[in-house]
Amino acid sequence: METRSAAQEGQSGTASSPAAASAPVAGAAHVGEADLARAVRMLQAGGVIGLPTETVYGLAANAADAGAVASIYRIKGRPADHPLIVHVASAEAAARWAVWSPQAQQLAGAFWPGPLTLVLPRRPEAPPFASAGQDTIALRVSSHPVFAQLMQALAPVGITGLAAPSANRFGRISPSRAAHVRSGLGEAVPLVLDGGPSAVGVESTIVDLSRGQPVLLRPGGISLQALSDCLGVPVRAADTQATAEADAPRVPGALPSHYAPSVPVRLLPASAVQALYREWAREADAQGVGAEEGSPGRSFWSEAGMQALAGEPAGFGTPPALPVSLQPGQPVALWTLQPPPERAGAFWRRQPADAATAARHLYDTLHQLDALGVQAILVEMPPDTPEWRAVRDRLTRAAA
Ligand code: AMP
Ligand code: MG
């Protein structure tokens, strides 16, 4: 893995950050011919590969091959009743898998290729293996250049759809870099095409067009408003509106507990973060931590260098008023807007103030904080506004 990550890009607020070199650049990523040919051979033989998309990395297999699709479920440990999204090269290709409609055409015209998945009635002759028993099918055209490269190379061998859920074990943090796939799935996925860090960073927006009013099954990079504006009718959010039983989505966008690190994630409102910092500053003063000449201070992740400074891992307790209890003396990790007090003894990553940047950094940050051996990851909950919907959704599931 690179020593400097794109996750730092934009975090220090300095335009000259060396991390800018590894920032996702649309159109810049391509894989070599040898890797591409190997990917085609493996998919043709019913194998599974890791694949970059602009949302997250996918675990891809030929959607028309029952055995290959079964391998995805086995490798992920995904429940058999949880359907997979089929990735196709174009709207024309999608119309061969699903019963196409004017609404599908409107959304595809506006947002494909891009981070939008459409749920549509499946054509009776289309392979059913990704649908997990549903008579619907979820389709997307990714905008990642490596995806386009691969679909073009697959056309001559007759593969027109790739089932590709996120390339992580079921319920765990989604991968936004090739290295996350390798560390999460290892030998089970011998080929991971590396297309750089995912530019969007959270899973696609899913809209169900298979019955009546369009329903947002999963929030993502495309807002409810943008969808409604495009269609000229309101799109209903499955998670917030009271829906009649008959009308409720048949397949939820994601399960309540999902995207989770191995250590607990705790969400704190901004006011609670401030209260926690005040308490830590008070305790540090009371104990004189780091105040003595030459004292090593506490372990702390510097924003600039992402290096653990020398010192005892620490972590003070929590004020009783907070909705989280911490073991004193054991480190915690923080993803918050402001740094903790100097001597608090916590690992800290700055949470971007902008929702799109935060989405792009979300999973990489959770992967990094999860690897620190902390007792908990404390996350400042972003505001309840439309642009933060997808990040709040993923954080809520990571904390569930
Ligand atoms: P992912 O976990 O990114 O592969 O996305 C899976 C989600 O896509 C599911 O939880 C559903 O919300 C949606 N989905 C996939 N296939 C279907 C389908 N055939 N019918 C309805 N929803 C689907
Ligand atoms: Mg997933």
Side-chain angles (χ1 to χ4, degrees):
M1 196 164 158
E2 307 89 315
T3 44
R4 295 205 49 111
S5 70
Q8 291 163 267
E9 164 253 331
Q11 295 199 3
S12 65
T14 51
S16 62
S17 160
S22 63
V25 179
H30 284 275
V31 291
E33 287 304 319
D35 279 343
L36 194 62
R38 191 171 162 222
V40 171
R41 280 198 305 277
M42 289 178 71
L43 291 167
Q44 226 182 337
V48 168
I49 66 163
L51 164 83
T53 84
E54 77 278 32
T55 58
V56 298
Y57 272 70
L59 189 62
N62 181 1
D65 180 333
V69 173
S71 297
I72 294 179
Y73 282 92
R74 183 176 42 77
I75 293 169
K76 279 185 67 78
R78 179 155 164 149
D81 62 354
H82 205 75
L84 308 176
I85 296 170
V86 176
H87 295 67
V88 293
S90 63
E92 293 68 41
R96 291 196 288 274
W97 288 77
V99 180
W100 206 240
S101 65
Q103 285 190 329
Q105 187 53 46
Q106 274 174 295
L107 291 178
F111 299 111
W112 280 1
L116 177 67
T117 296
L118 301 179
V119 173
L120 295 162
R122 180 164 38 82
R123 278 187 178 279
E125 70 276 19
F129 314 119
S131 290
Q134 305 283 325
D135 53 7
T136 48
I137 187 158
L139 293 161
R140 176 160 96 90
V141 180
S142 165
S143 66
H144 199 290
V146 171
F147 171 82
Q149 221 187 336
L150 181 61
M151 291 314 287
Q152 205 173 0
L154 286 171
V157 303
I159 296 178
T160 64
L162 292 178
S166 54
N168 54 291
R169 292 204 194 283
F170 182 70
R172 304 302 303 280
I173 313 172
S174 298
S176 58
R177 295 170 165 271
H180 298 157
V181 183
R182 295 192 192 104
S183 65
L185 298 177
E187 308 274 287
V189 186
L191 178 62
V192 182
L193 299 179
D194 191 342
S198 295
V200 175
V202 294
E203 295 79 358
S204 59
T205 301
I206 304 179
V207 181
D208 188 350
L209 293 176
S210 70
R211 64 249 153 76
Q213 189 187 358
V215 178
L216 179 78
L217 294 184
R218 178 171 73 188
I222 297 169
S223 75
L224 202 58
Q225 191 61 49
L227 297 167
S228 300
D229 289 349
C230 174
L231 290 173
V233 296
V235 175
R236 192 183 58 209
D239 54 347
T240 56
Q241 308 266 341
T243 51
E245 184 58 26
D247 209 24
R250 284 166 292 199
V251 184
L255 301 181
S257 172
H258 221 121
Y259 318 115
S262 53
V263 301
V265 173
R266 299 282 175 257
L267 305 179
L268 299 178
S271 59
V273 173
Q274 293 313 314
L276 183 64
Y277 287 3
R278 277 197 302 277
E279 178 71 8
W280 280 350
R282 198 188 58 70
E283 285 190 47
D285 283 345
Q287 295 180 19
V289 174
E292 323 85 58
E293 182 93 38
S295 113
R298 299 276 177 139
S299 158
F300 186 80
W301 281 70
S302 77
E303 182 188 356
M306 275 301 290
Q307 283 177 6
L309 305 181
E312 283 277 286
F316 296 118
T318 4
L322 292 186
V324 52
S325 79
L326 299 176
Q327 296 301 314
Q330 289 181 29
V332 297
L334 304 166
W335 196 42
T336 57
L337 288 167
Q338 302 295 330
E342 276 272 317
R343 291 156 286 151
F347 298 101
W348 176 67
R349 295 295 308 275
R350 183 187 293 280
Q351 186 182 103
D354 149 71
T357 311
R360 191 160 71 237
H361 295 173
L362 173 65
Y363 291 135
D364 193 44
T365 302
L366 290 180
H367 277 285
Q368 291 190 24
L369 297 182
D370 194 27
L372 293 171
V374 292
Q375 61 172 311
I377 299 172
L378 308 184
V379 175
E380 185 164 342
M381 191 58 156
D384 189 4
T385 54
E387 69 271 21
W388 285 99
R389 185 175 201 126
V391 171
R392 285 172 58 96
D393 172 78
R394 302 310 188 278
L395 285 173
T396 302
R397 294 179 206 280

